[in-house]
Amino acid sequence: MSAIKPDYIRPLDLHNGCVELAHGGGGRAMAQLVEEMFFAAFANEHLAQGNDGAALPLPQGAGRLVMTTDAHVVSPLFFPGGDIGCLAVHGTVNDLAVMGARPLWLAASFILEEGFPLADLKRIVASMANAARVAGVSIVTGDTKVVERGKGDGMFITTTGVGMAPEGLVLSGDRARPGDVILLSGSIGDHGMAIMSKRENLTFDAPIESDTAALHGLVADMLASGAELRVMRDPTRGGVAATLNEIAKQSGVGMRIDEASIPVRPVVEAACEFLGFDPLYIANEGKLVAICTPDSAALLLAAMRAHPLGHESAIIGSVHSDPHHFVQMKTRFGGHRNVDWLSGEQLPRIC
Amino acid sequence: MRGRAMKYVDEFRDGGLAQGVARAIAQAAGTRRSYSFMEFCGGHTHAISRYGIADFLPANVRMIHGPGCPVCVLPIGRIDLAIGLALEQGVILCSYGDPLRVPASHGLSLLKAKARGGDIRMVYSTSDVLAIARDNPGREVVFLAIGFETTTPPTALLIRQARAEGLNNLSVLCNHVLTPSAITHILQSPEVREYGTLLLDGFIGPSHVSVVIGSQPYEHFAEEYRKPVVISGFEPLDVMQSILMLIRQVNEGRAEVENEFSRAVTRDGNRKAQALVAQMFELRRTFEWRGLGEVPYSALKIRAQYAKFDAERRFDLSYVPVADNKACECGAILRGVRKPAECKLFGTVCTPDNPMGSCMVSSEGACAAHYTFGRFNDATVVAA
C-alpha cells in the first residue's frame, strides 16, 4: 500500500536541474524556487512573511532615508574574486555608502534565463547571502521572472537599497570647490581587468582578482574622522576618469591629478598595456573617490589608510576653478594631458 | 604598486630621463630656425598626446600628425561593404576592435549594424577568426582586414592556414595599405613641393612597420626628397630621442635614414614575413584613403590564385565611394597643412562621440588625440 503524502513536493534538483519557464509562472514551481532558493539563503523575518513587500520599522534617531537601485548584468557571471551575486550586494551597498548612508535593507529582483543551471543559481544566491551578512544588510523583499532561452544572459540581478544618513550630512557631486583635495582609496582597474581576463575570446591568463567589496565600513571611519568631506563616489563603470569628469561637471570646476600618485597593480597595468586600455577608464567595485577640504586632507587620508579596504589610499590631485571643467593630468612621464570622458566603450587598438 | 617597475616598459617612460632629452632637444634646436617633423603613424600621435610630449618641446619644434592611422584612412565605402555583408548576406563579420565605431553611410557603423541584428564579432587576432570559421561550418565568415604592414602578415597567415585546413567558409575583405606610398603621396603633394605652405623637415617612421619591412624602403625618401627619417619606437622616450636625432640631422645638413629602434629593427626587416605577404597579396593600382583620396599603388589585394579567400570576388562586391562632409578638413590635417583646432567642425559638430571625419574616428587620429588629450591647450585655463 503506498503512503500518499498530500503535501509532498520533490525538492529542487540542485545538481542537474535547470531554470524552467514554470519557475516564473506564478504557480507551485515558482513558490518552490522562491522558498527553497531565496528564503532559505536570505532568511529574515520580513522575507519569511512572504508578503508583496516588506513593512520596515524606521531606526531610532534623526536622519534621512537614502535609496538607490542598481542593475547587474556582468558576463561572465563568475569571475576571479567574485560573482554577480556578491557584486549585486556590493554595488548597491556602495552607492548608499558614498551617499554617507548606513545600508539597512535590500530588495532583489532576479531575471533568470530558461535553462540556467540551478546549481549555478544556488552558488550565486549563497554568495549574495554571504555578502549581505558580511555587510550587515538584510534582503527583505524580491521578485523572480524567467525569460525564454536566448532572451537573457544567464541571469540579471537588480538590487534596490535603503539606508540611513545622519542629519546634516550632505555629500553631493556638486559640492567640490577650488582648493579641495581629491583622494582615492586604492589601486584602480582590478575589477574591469579581472572580467576582461575571463572573457571567452580573450586568452590571456593574468592573476587579477576583482576588488568587489562593501565600502560602508570604510566610509563610516572616514565620517567619524571629523574630516570635512564634500563628495564621495565609487568609480565603477567608466572608472576614475568618468567619476572625476562627472564631479567636475556637476560642481562646475576643473581638476588636476598626478598620474604618479594613482596606484595601479603591475599586473593590471600590464594587462591594460597589452590591450591598449587606460586603467583610468576601467571599472572598480571596491574603491571610492573622496573630495575634502584642504585642511582635512591629512586627517582623512590617515583614517582611510587605517582601514583594511583603504590601506593603499592616496591623495591624487586637487580641484581648481576652470570654466571648461577639464580634468587634467600630469603624466608620470612629466607632460600634461586631458583625462576626458570616455567616448563609447574602450575598444582594443589594432597596433 | 607603481614603485615596482614593469620591466622593459617603465624604463622607456622615465620622467627624469625625459628632462635630460628635453634639455638636449632645446639645446640642439636653439632659436635660429623652426623645425616641423611629421610623425607618420597614429601610434606615435597617440603616444605624443597621451604622455604630453609636446610639453617637453621648445616652441620652434612642431610635430605634424600624419595619416598613419589605419582606422582613420579606411574610406566610408569600404565599411559600407562590410556592413552590407553582415546585414544583407548574413555573414559572420569579424573585425578588430577599433574599426567597429567608424561611422559609415546611412548613420550606420559596424556597432550599429550589430545592434540591428548583424552578426559582427570583435576579434583580437586572426586565430580567433580561424576558430569562428571552424565552429560555424555552415556559415560564411568574413574577416575585415585592415592595417599597415604590421597587420598584413597575420592576414596572410590566416589565408594560408584556411587553405591548409580546407576551410571553405572563410574569406577576407582586404584593406591593407602601405606606409611608403602614403609618405610619397605627402611628399608629392603641391603644398610640400611647390607652394612651400607645408614645411616638412623630416619624418618619424614607425618601428613596428620597419620590424617587418626594414628601414631600407625609407632610403628613397632620404635620397630623392632630401628628408631625414628616423625609425622610432612607441615609448615616449623613443619618440623624444627620435626628435632629437631629426633635429641633429637637419642641423648638420644630413638627410639619412637613422634607426632609433635598433633593439628590433634591421635594414632588411623580416624577410620571412615579406615573402609570405608577397605570396598572398599583390599591389592595387590605386586605393582610396579617407582624407587623402586616391593614392596610387598604396594598398594590397589578394592574388588571383587565392580568389576564393577574397571576399570582394567571392561576394562580387563593387566599391562605391562616399564623400566626406564638405566642411571637413581631414584631408588637409592628414597632409599636415592644417591643425585639428583649425577645422570649423572640430569640437562642435565633430567629436569622438559623433565623429564626422576620419581624424576623429580612432583614438590614434590627429583630431581625436587632440580632443581627448590636448584640447585644454586651446582654452585659457584660469588658475585657482
Side-chain angles (χ1 to χ4, degrees), chain B residues 7 97 379:
Chain B
K7 199 69 187 151

Side-chain angles (χ1 to χ4, degrees), chain B residues 215-231:
Chain B
S215 61
Q216 187 271 336
Y218 297 101
E219 290 171 6
H220 167 71
F221 306 120
E223 287 162 20
E224 180 82 17
Y225 298 94
R226 301 293 305 156
K227 300 290 182 196
V229 178
V230 175
I231 314 285

Side-chain angles (χ1 to χ4, degrees), chain A residues 269-292:
Chain A
E269 191 162 9
C272 284
E273 186 70 28
F274 175 60
L275 291 172
F277 288 169
D278 185 339
L280 282 169
Y281 294 89
I282 306 290
N284 312 280
E285 291 291 346
K287 297 293 163 5
L288 59 82
V289 166
I291 296 179
C292 69

Side-chain angles (χ1 to χ4, degrees), chain B residues 164-220:
Chain B
E165 289 184 27
L167 287 174
N168 291 317
N169 61 332
L170 193 153
S171 58
V172 171
L173 180 54
C174 177
N175 302 284
H176 286 298
V177 285
L178 302 171
T179 304
S181 4
I183 294 185
T184 306
H185 185 76
I186 291 164
L187 287 170
Q188 290 190 334
S189 73
E191 289 97 346
V192 176
R193 268 155 52 103
E194 293 156 29
Y195 310 138
T197 43
L198 177 62
L199 296 170
L200 201 50
D201 298 305
F203 286 93
I204 290 184
S207 58
H208 57 358
V209 166
S210 283
V211 165
V212 179
I213 68 172
S215 61
Q216 187 271 336
Y218 297 101
E219 290 171 6
H220 167 71

